[in-house]
Amino acid sequence: MNVRGDRIRAERMRRGWRQEDLGRRAGCSRSIVADLENGRNRESAKLPGIAKALGVSLTWLETGKGRKTPLASTEAPYVSADSLEDVAEQMLSKGPDEVWRLVQRLLTTAR
C-alpha cells in the first residue's frame, strides 16, 4: 500500500494535471512523479516542491496527518524580472492557471 503516492495522485488528478504537468510545476521529471505515485521511489528531496505545486502541506502529503492546506505563505505575490521574456518564463513555470489569471488581469486593465 502506497498511501503517500495515492495522495499525490489524487491531488494531481483533482487538478486535472498529467504527471508531466506536476513534474514541471514541482521542478522534477515525470518519471519521478510516476515513481513516487507508484511507490517505486521513496525520495523525499522532491516532496517539498511537489507539495508546493499541489498546494498542500508537506506533512499532510508525507503522513496524511495535520492540515491539508499549508499555512498562509509569506512569499511576495509578485515576480521580479529584467525583461518581458523573463516574466513570461516565470509565469509559464507557474502553470496554465496562473497564466490565465494574468491574461484575465491584463484584459481588464485599462490602457
Side-chain angles (χ1 to χ4, degrees):
M1 185 162 166
N2 177 29
V3 291
R4 180 179 70 182
D6 294 340
R7 283 189 292 277
I8 294 170
R9 179 179 291 114
E11 289 300 310
R12 175 180 61 77
M13 293 181 75
R14 187 170 74 81
R15 288 163 178 72
W17 295 349
R18 299 170 301 155
Q19 289 175 335
E20 293 86 357
D21 300 327
L22 176 55
R24 181 173 36 82
R25 288 174 172 86
C28 64
S29 68
R30 183 213 57 81
S31 63
I32 287 177
V33 173
D35 288 347
L36 286 167
E37 287 184 359
N38 294 313
R40 293 186 302 262
N41 186 339
R42 300 294 301 165
E43 182 180 339
S44 61
K46 301 297 181 184
L47 289 177
I50 288 173
K52 184 175 180 180
L54 292 171
V56 299
S57 75
L58 180 58
T59 301
W60 179 83
L61 187 65
E62 288 184 306
T63 67
K65 297 177 182 173
R67 292 178 53 98
K68 181 177 179 181
T69 55
L71 297 175
S73 173
T74 58
E75 293 179 352
Y78 58 86
V79 296
S80 175
D82 294 327
S83 68
L84 286 175
E85 289 79 14
D86 290 343
V87 171
E89 186 175 320
Q90 288 184 41
M91 290 306 299
L92 289 171
S93 73
K94 294 183 181 293
D97 295 337
E98 288 298 310
V99 171
W100 181 240
R101 286 182 53 212
L102 174 61
V103 169
Q104 289 177 316
R105 176 69 183 221
L106 290 171
L107 291 173
T108 60
T109 302
R111 291 183 178 221

